[in-house]
């Protein structure tokens, strides 16, 4: 070989090595960015759950006020509305679960969907799959009959179901689906429909967030009726009447079945309350939605009356519950593993606990178990092992945070307990390249984070100013990161995020006021004739948006999405008496007209928020 050829060969090899090295660095940078934006979404989601708990406490105070008024014969219907919204607001009455109630519904001749007959057959399950995959809905009559039938089946099941693989030799565990029908259908396509040789455990959180929660729930319930010894559905923290109001399932049912909404949502809640708490596989694998705590007692979980707990959110209004029993269920549905030893309150979710590897080891040894399989959290790869591979987290909703964010996963366990993880992601048309996906997701995550920053501007400026004793307008990068973490309560890679959020001086100090240059709160009422308020007013409205939404829903007695004049009058009369300020009706009407900015005779939520913003601004 000539010297020239050898030289060209060495040059080509060096070029290949350089390209490979560059590509690996590029992929590593993309992965680091993906994990950073993932962390942002996760922290914001946990903050939302914390706010939900605080909201319950807020409603508890409102209800106590309502009870005092009711005792004095004041505003009884308003008090009832408070009670309805506050907890198991949609808790079914006995007439809603009368076995004959679905027969009152007529099926129109124009209805072209499945006409179910009971007992269901495998053929009818396939018909439901075909119908739902084409965007069809099940008629309310058949929906209610299906829920009645599965309710009867669930009432025969224990709190902890003991499953054996002696016949099937394997079992598949599916994690959170969150109303993502496409993921469920893909699992059935890849892994097969259930039968006695192919059993499934669905580990909770089948509803909320996704747009097809109704269809996912109905399809799983139909499978359970056809294959009762091969389909097991554990309860998750989202099979909860209170949580469903906040995270979409209640609104989905109302949108799809508006005329029959009260009975259908009530029946769904009744079914959810009867879902078993956990499943034991071959006596060696414990499958539960959230996790455990140092006080979880399987004997107590076996014996308690799970049906009493329509909602597990503290302060949700169920006075008949046993607090010890309730805490047991909370711990197994809401808890998360942690790398540190011990067990402590889960301050990220404001409910449940964090449990360490020592808690897991003690629990497994005490109950003669080998593995804890859970869901509840979103691993970036769809699954993850913790606690020396004694805890396996499985999550089956793909692209959960954003397109390309995570694959879904399920686990197949053989009769020896050996796990086989299967990852999947539905094929998306016009799927963006990975770099473009991450750029779009990163931009969305940063927008969400900037909104949180804007809402805490006052506190952040005070923290920065305290560090900036010489009033230079600058702090060190370490000080900036410390202030961001302490005020926002988000454990994020702030040094990595800093270039996207704040600018540096030539000597590498952070100009902290640049943190707020792109951190703005959206003003939904830009065209109003009122002057814009200062930033602190907008911050206050943003921070209390969930509380204001709760008040709005309470005043909106007919769940129309608007407050009518009559609804506004009643609430003003009740609150006027509570504050010993009886408002003349003319004044109440004038207030309603002032809030009705687009003059359509009713108040929507944006107008309601704007009214709070304007009043606070004028008070200042």
């Amino acid at each position: 070989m000539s010297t020239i050829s050898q030289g060209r060969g060495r040059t080509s090899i060096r070029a290949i090595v350089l390209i490979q090295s560059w590509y690996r660095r590029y992929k590593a940078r993309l992965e680091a960015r993906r994990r950073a934006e993932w962390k942002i979404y996760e922290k914001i989601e946990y903050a939302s759950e914390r706010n939900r708990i605080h909201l319950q406490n807020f409603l508890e105070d409102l209800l106590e006020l309502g009870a005092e008024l009711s005792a004095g014969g004041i505003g009884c219907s308003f008090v009832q509305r408070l009670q309805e919204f506050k907890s198991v607001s949609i808790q079914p009455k006995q007439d809603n679960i009368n076995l004959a109630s679905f027969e009152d519904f007529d099926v129109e001749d124009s209805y072209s969907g499945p006409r179910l007959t009971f007992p269901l057959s495998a053929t009818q399950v396939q018909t439901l799959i075909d119908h739902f995959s084409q965007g069809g809905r099940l008629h309310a009559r058949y929906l209610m009959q299906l829920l009645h039938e599965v309710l009867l089946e669930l009432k025969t099941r224990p709190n902890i179901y003991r499953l054996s693989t002696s016949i099937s030799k394997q079992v598949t565990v599916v994690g959170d689906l969150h109303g993502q029908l496409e993921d469920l259908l893909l699992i059935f396509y890849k892994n097969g429909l259930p039968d006695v040789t192919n059993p499934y455990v669905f580990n909770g959180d089948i509803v909320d967030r996704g747009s097809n929660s109704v269809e996912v729930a109905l399809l799983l319930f139909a499978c359970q009726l056809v294959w009762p010894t091969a389909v097991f559905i554990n309860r998750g923290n989202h099979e909860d009447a209170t949580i469903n109001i906040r995270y979409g399932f209640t609104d989905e049912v109302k949108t799809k079945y508006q005329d029959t909404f009260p009975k259908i949502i009530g029946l769904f809640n009744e079914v959810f309350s009867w879902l078993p708490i956990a499943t034991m596989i071959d006596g060696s694998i414990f499958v539960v939605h959230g996790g455990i705590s140092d006080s979880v007692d399987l004997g107590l979980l076996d014996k308690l009356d799970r049906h009493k707990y329509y909602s597990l959110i503290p302060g949700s209004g169920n006075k008949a519950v046993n607090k010890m029993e309730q805490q047991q269920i909370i711990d197994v549905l809401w808890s998360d593993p942690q790398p540190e030893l011990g067990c402590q309150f889960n301050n990220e979710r404001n409910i449940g606990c964090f449990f360490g590897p020592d808690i897991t080891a003690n629990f497994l040894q005490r109950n003669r178990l080998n593995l804890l399989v859970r869901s509840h959290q979103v691993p970036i790869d769809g699954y993850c092992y913790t606690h020396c591979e004694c805890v396996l987290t499985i999550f089956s909703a793909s692209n959960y945070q954003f397109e390309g964010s995570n694959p879904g996963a399920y686990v197949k366990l053989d009769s020896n307990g050996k796990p086989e993880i299967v990852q999947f992601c539905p094929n998306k048309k016009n799927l963006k390249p990975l770099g473009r996906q991450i750029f779009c997701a990163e931009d969305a995550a940063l927008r969400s984070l900037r909104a949180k920053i804007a809402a805490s501007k006052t506190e952040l400026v005070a923290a920065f100013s305290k560090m900036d004793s010489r009033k230079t307008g600058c702090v060190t990068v370490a000080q900036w990161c410390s202030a961001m973490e302490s005020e926002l309560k988000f454990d994020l890679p702030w040094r990595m995020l800093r270039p996207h959020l704040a600018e540096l001086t030539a000597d590498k100090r952070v100009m902290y006021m640049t943190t707020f240059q792109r951190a703005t709160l959206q003003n939904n009422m830009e065209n109003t004739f009122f002057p814009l308020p200062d930033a602190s007013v907008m911050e206050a409205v943003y921070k209390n948006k969930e509380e204001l939404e709760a008040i709005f829903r309470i005043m909106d007695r007919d769940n129309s999405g608007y407050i009518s004049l009559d609804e506004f009058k009643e609430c003003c009369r009740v609150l006027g008496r509570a504050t010993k300020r009886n408002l003349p009706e003319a004044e109440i009407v004038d207030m309603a007209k002032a809030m009705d900015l687009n003059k359509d005779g009713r108040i929507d939520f944006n107008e309601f928020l704007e009214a709070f913003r304007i009043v606070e601004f004028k008070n200042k």
Side-chain angles (χ1 to χ4, degrees):
M1 184 181 293
S2 68
T3 304
I4 295 176
S5 298
Q6 290 177 346
R8 286 175 178 173
R10 286 194 294 270
T11 302
S12 298
I13 292 172
R14 283 198 299 270
I16 292 171
V17 170
L18 285 173
I19 291 171
Q20 288 177 337
S21 176
W22 170 84
Y23 183 70
R24 283 194 294 268
R25 288 197 299 270
Y26 171 74
K27 293 283 287 185
R29 286 195 298 270
L30 286 181
E31 182 63 16
R33 289 168 60 185
R34 186 168 77 106
R35 290 181 181 274
E37 68 211 24
W38 182 270
K39 197 75 171 177
I40 294 172
Y41 276 112
E42 182 182 63
K43 294 301 179 182
I44 291 175
E45 179 180 348
Y46 287 169
S48 177
E49 289 180 346
R50 284 200 306 271
N51 292 340
R52 179 72 227 184
I53 308 303
H54 294 318
L55 179 57
Q56 281 300 129
N57 296 331
F58 166 74
L59 292 175
E60 186 76 32
D61 295 338
L62 276 180
L63 189 60
E64 288 178 4
L65 169 63
E68 293 174 8
L69 296 173
S70 182
I74 301 173
C76 292
S77 60
F78 180 66
V79 174
Q80 289 170 0
R81 179 60 180 157
L82 271 175
Q83 181 65 56
E84 287 170 5
F85 178 83
K86 184 185 157 297
S87 72
V88 280
S89 51
I90 38 186
Q91 179 172 338
K93 300 180 178 62
Q94 288 302 312
D95 60 348
N96 284 346
I97 55 174
N98 185 306
L99 288 179
S101 61
F102 62 84
E103 296 177 353
D104 299 334
F105 293 91
D106 294 325
V107 180
E108 304 82 5
D109 293 336
S110 59
Y111 173 67
S112 59
R115 296 174 181 261
L116 303 183
T117 58
F118 293 84
L120 285 177
S121 65
T123 301
Q124 291 187 89
V125 169
Q126 187 61 57
T127 301
L128 284 174
I129 290 175
D130 295 340
H131 185 64
F132 290 157
S133 64
Q134 297 298 318
R137 295 178 189 170
L138 187 63
H139 193 280
R141 197 264 190 208
Y142 301 116
L143 180 152
M144 292 195 66
Q145 189 172 5
L146 175 56
L147 293 181
H148 282 305
E149 295 293 332
V150 81
L151 181 59
L152 294 176
E153 167 64 26
L154 289 173
K155 287 182 177 182
T156 67
R157 301 209 168 195
N159 293 344
I160 302 175
Y161 197 94
R162 269 71 179 180
L163 185 157
S164 170
T165 61
S166 59
I167 297 176
S168 63
K169 306 304 180 184
Q170 55 88 33
V171 61
T172 300
V173 179
V174 177
D176 299 35
L177 286 166
H178 280 299
Q180 297 189 188
L181 180 64
E182 190 174 7
D183 288 323
L184 175 59
L185 297 183
L186 183 57
I187 292 170
F188 283 160
Y189 175 78
K190 292 172 68 71
N191 198 58
L193 285 173
D195 63 37
V196 291
T197 64
N198 190 31
Y200 280 85
V201 177
F202 294 92
N203 199 23
D205 279 13
I206 60 177
V207 300
D208 275 339
R209 301 189 186 278
S211 59
N212 293 109
S213 293
V214 171
E215 290 74 24
V216 168
L218 293 179
L219 188 52
L220 292 184
F221 293 154
C223 289
Q224 188 165 62
L225 289 175
V226 175
W227 300 285
T229 60
V231 176
F232 309 91
I233 307 172
N234 290 342
R235 185 176 181 178
N237 64 301
H238 278 263
E239 280 73 59
D240 184 296
T242 304
I243 294 296
N244 293 156
I245 296 173
R246 173 68 178 84
Y247 290 100
F249 181 63
T250 300
D251 287 338
E252 181 186 334
V253 175
K254 181 181 174 183
T255 299
K256 293 179 177 178
Y257 297 95
Q258 189 167 8
D259 294 339
T260 52
F261 166 71
K263 284 193 173 185
I264 289 178
I265 194 63
L267 195 49
F268 264 117
N269 288 327
E270 180 77 2
V271 170
F272 290 163
S273 71
W274 279 102
L275 288 174
I277 298 167
T279 301
M280 190 88 72
I281 301 175
D282 291 331
S284 63
I285 300 173
F286 188 63
V287 184
V288 71
H289 180 71
I292 56 174
S293 70
D294 54 359
S295 61
V296 165
D297 183 341
L298 296 189
L300 181 56
L301 283 175
D302 254 331
K303 296 175 183 177
L304 58 79
D305 180 6
R306 67 183 187 268
H307 170 244
K308 292 191 299 186
Y309 302 94
Y310 280 85
S311 179
L312 296 168
I313 303 300
S316 58
N318 192 346
K319 304 299 183 183
V321 303
N322 179 302
K323 296 298 183 183
M324 181 183 297
E325 292 181 351
Q326 183 181 42
Q327 191 59 51
Q328 289 276 310
I329 304 179
I330 286 173
D331 286 347
V332 296
L333 297 194
W334 279 92
S335 297
D336 298 311
Q338 64 175 7
E340 297 81 11
L341 297 177
C343 183
Q344 56 261 357
F345 180 69
N346 191 329
N347 54 7
E348 287 196 350
R349 297 185 188 269
N350 210 36
I351 189 172
C353 71
F354 287 119
F355 61 97
D358 56 329
I359 304 300
T360 296
N362 290 338
F363 175 81
L364 295 179
Q365 182 180 13
R366 187 170 67 250
N367 295 285
R368 299 179 180 179
L369 298 167
N370 298 327
L371 180 66
L372 170 64
V373 179
R374 64 181 294 273
S375 301
H376 193 43
Q377 286 178 298
V378 195
I380 199 165
D381 295 315
Y383 76 98
C384 70
Y385 282 100
T386 51
H387 296 180
C388 301
E389 298 195 354
C390 289
V391 176
L392 170 61
T393 299
I394 285 289
F395 197 86
S396 301
S398 67
N399 302 302
Y400 180 70
Q401 303 284 19
F402 48 85
E403 186 181 279
S405 64
N406 67 285
Y410 57 88
V411 59
K412 296 176 70 68
L413 299 157
D414 66 18
S415 55
N416 295 317
K418 182 181 178 180
E420 176 192 348
I421 307 295
V422 180
Q423 294 173 290
F424 65 89
C425 194
N427 293 323
K428 301 287 186 180
K429 293 181 179 179
N430 303 318
L431 190 65
K432 301 181 183 71
L434 178 61
R436 180 61 181 167
Q437 289 177 29
I438 291 177
F439 175 80
C440 295
E442 187 177 61
D443 188 53
L446 288 172
R447 282 200 304 271
S448 299
L449 182 58
R450 287 178 185 127
K452 296 291 184 183
I453 291 171
S456 299
K457 180 177 179 180
T458 302
E459 293 86 348
L460 284 168
V461 169
F464 292 141
S465 299
K466 188 175 180 180
M467 296 171 176
D468 181 22
S469 57
R470 296 184 179 180
K471 309 301 179 188
T472 62
C474 300
V475 294
T476 66
V477 173
Q479 288 174 324
W480 182 86
C481 293
S482 175
M484 296 296 285
E485 184 165 337
S486 63
E487 297 303 326
L488 293 179
K489 306 294 190 296
F490 288 166
D491 179 19
L492 294 173
W494 290 109
R495 285 182 180 272
M496 181 185 296
L497 294 170
R498 196 279 313 155
H500 301 282
L501 300 173
E503 299 176 8
L504 295 180
T505 61
D507 59 350
K508 306 299 182 183
R509 290 170 61 83
V510 180
M511 297 181 285
Y512 54 79
M513 291 308 294
T514 63
T515 307
F516 312 104
Q517 284 181 350
R518 287 184 289 175
T520 58
L521 293 173
Q522 182 180 1
N523 177 23
N524 292 320
M525 308 302 291
E526 295 177 352
N527 297 324
T528 65
F529 55 85
F530 295 100
L532 289 174
D534 60 31
S536 63
V537 178
M538 289 295 288
E539 290 172 35
V541 172
Y542 182 88
K543 286 180 181 177
N544 294 286
K545 184 176 179 181
E546 289 189 346
E547 283 81 354
L548 294 175
E549 182 179 4
I551 296 173
F552 180 86
R553 285 177 177 265
I554 291 168
M555 297 175 77
D556 176 21
R557 294 182 58 206
D558 60 358
N559 294 310
S560 64
Y562 300 92
I563 300 173
S564 67
L565 179 58
D566 289 339
E567 290 168 338
F568 188 76
K569 284 179 183 178
E570 181 188 3
C571 295
C572 285
R573 281 196 295 268
V574 172
L575 294 175
R577 291 174 185 174
T579 57
K580 295 182 171 55
R581 183 188 175 200
N582 293 322
L583 299 173
E585 183 165 336
E587 188 172 337
I588 294 175
V589 172
D590 287 342
M591 283 196 300
K593 288 181 177 179
M595 295 173 72
D596 179 19
L597 298 174
N598 63 1
K599 306 305 177 187
D600 64 352
R602 55 190 183 178
I603 302 165
D604 64 26
F605 182 56
N606 284 336
E607 291 171 328
F608 189 71
L609 279 183
E610 182 69 4
F612 276 86
R613 184 179 71 79
I614 292 166
V615 169
E616 180 65 21
F617 172 64
K618 287 183 176 291
N619 286 342
K620 282 182 177 292

